[in-house]
Amino acid sequence: MFKRNTVQIILLALLALFASVPAFAQSTSASLAGRIIDAQGAPVASATVDILHQPSGSKQALVTDIDGRFSTRGLRVGGPYTVTASKDGLDASREDVFLLLAETASVTLTLASAAAELEAIEVVASSALSAFTPDNMGASTNITVEQIEELPSIGRSIGDYVRFDPRIVQTDKGRGELSAAGQNSRYNNIRVDGVPTNDQFGLNANGLPALNQPISIDWIQEFNVGISNFDVTQTDFVGANINAVTKSGGNEFSGGVYAVYRNNDMVGDEPADFTGFDDEYTVGAYVGGPIIKDTLFFFLGYEEFQRSSPAP
């Protein structure tokens, strides 16, 4: 009886684990859609489309439908990707395709012979923009890893980076309050890899479960900030829906070591000017790489933060 109950518990735990994965897929990955056409602009059905993530070597194969369209979800954020289409001895490709978190990139490829490409005339037409389209899920802002690396931040806080969205204001920098479109900071929903990281008890003004950051900024691949989303899968927020996705390993080993130190002499000329802390430091390191080339990867990080504060 004990063994049977143990097996049942393990099976239920595994079922709950796999059942919960799709709920976070849209918040931790990117999507790609497109169309394959011929030299006359007609759709090419049953064409093979290969999507290659160059840093990891992982590949996904698709087949276009009767309208020449293809789409896929669950792709890694960033890139570059190479998209290749082929049918009946003809092929076309697009390189340096980069994907954004929770966004759908669009690629159109033309299958034609060299002679047909020289004779083809491109006609571009556009219709009135619509607020409701399959690719438009509301106004959002993406902060890429390049922007994260280029922006200096003393506190290395999420609030310093999500202000790339002009609708977000840091109403109290000392406490880390973030107001989105005038809403209270506790109405924001902050997630890391799709997992909510909020202050459940309403104790901190920054909306986080602690005064410090929930994850190192050096481990973040991209932020997505949504405020007026009308995507039904995005819930639990009235202010901003701030979602961060972490980095992943690739076919090449990479990593870094960092250290940050600050004391009250760096804040004010006199000790009386600032009494928030005596000194603080942050040290950390991260590394990523392949376990099985083109198939399985790892990313590990460690960070330590300490602050010495004067007595009340």
Side-chain angles (χ1 to χ4, degrees), residues 6-226:
T6 303
V7 172
Q8 290 176 343
I9 292 173
I10 294 175
L11 291 176
L12 288 174
L14 290 174
L15 179 61
L17 174 64
F18 288 109
S20 64
V21 171
F24 301 132
Q26 195 173 38
S27 301
T28 60
S29 60
S31 303
L32 179 65
R35 195 171 185 229
I36 309 302
I37 58 177
D38 60 18
Q40 288 73 39
V44 179
S46 301
T48 301
V49 180
D50 293 322
I51 303 171
L52 173 66
H53 182 251
Q54 295 180 13
S56 67
S58 56
K59 182 185 291 186
Q60 186 172 144
L62 305 170
V63 177
T64 58
D65 60 15
I66 192 173
D67 295 320
R69 299 186 183 278
F70 67 92
S71 64
T72 182
R73 299 171 61 182
L75 298 176
R76 290 174 57 162
V77 174
Y81 283 85
T82 299
V83 183
T84 305
S86 60
K87 184 182 181 182
D88 298 334
L90 301 177
D91 60 75
S93 65
R94 176 80 59 82
E95 297 183 349
D96 295 331
V97 177
F98 289 85
L99 307 183
L100 297 178
L101 175 62
E103 299 286 341
T104 301
S106 180
V107 173
T108 299
L109 297 177
T110 301
L111 292 181
S113 62
E117 289 181 352
L118 292 175
E119 297 174 358
I121 299 177
E122 184 178 1
V123 179
V124 179
S126 62
S127 59
L129 295 177
S130 173
F132 295 92
T133 65
D135 298 331
N136 187 1
M137 293 296 180
S140 63
T141 299
N142 284 77
I143 299 98
T144 63
V145 65
E146 290 80 13
Q147 292 173 301
I148 295 174
E149 292 173 350
E150 293 173 357
L151 178 69
S153 171
I154 295 176
R156 295 164 49 82
S157 66
I158 292 176
D160 288 338
Y161 295 91
V162 298
R163 286 186 297 162
F164 273 105
D165 191 310
R167 299 164 297 177
I168 291 185
V169 178
Q170 200 164 31
T171 53
D172 190 313
K173 191 171 184 62
R175 299 193 299 175
E177 287 185 355
L178 293 175
S179 175
Q183 297 289 342
N184 188 285
S185 62
R186 293 183 175 86
Y187 290 160
N188 301 326
N189 185 22
I190 302 173
R191 297 183 293 176
V192 178
D193 285 337
V195 179
T197 312
N198 301 308
D199 180 12
Q200 301 296 332
F201 301 99
L203 301 177
N204 299 318
N206 59 6
L208 295 171
L211 295 178
N212 202 19
Q213 300 301 300
I215 191 170
S216 171
I217 202 69
D218 293 87
W219 307 345
I220 299 298
Q221 175 70 28
E222 190 167 316
F223 286 104
N224 176 268
V225 182

Side-chain angles (χ1 to χ4, degrees), residues 212-281:
N212 202 19
Q213 300 301 300
I215 191 170
S216 171
I217 202 69
D218 293 87
W219 307 345
I220 299 298
Q221 175 70 28
E222 190 167 316
F223 286 104
N224 176 268
V225 182
I227 294 179
S228 56
N229 303 65
F230 42 82
D231 183 352
V232 295
T233 65
Q234 307 297 323
T235 60
D236 299 330
F237 69 98
V238 178
N241 187 38
I242 302 172
N243 186 39
V245 62
T246 54
K247 296 177 180 178
S248 302
N251 280 335
E252 301 293 334
F253 287 96
S254 62
V257 178
Y258 53 91
V260 181
Y261 175 80
R262 185 165 63 132
N263 60 28
N264 54 16
D265 292 332
M266 300 177 181
V267 179
D269 295 332
E270 299 293 335
D273 294 340
F274 183 81
T275 58
F277 59 87
D278 290 333
D279 59 5
E280 66 178 24
Y281 73 85

Side-chain angles (χ1 to χ4, degrees), residues 248-256 286-291 297-301:
S248 302
N251 280 335
E252 301 293 334
F253 287 96
S254 62
Y286 62 91
V287 62
I291 298 176
F297 313 94
F298 75 93
F299 181 86
L300 299 174

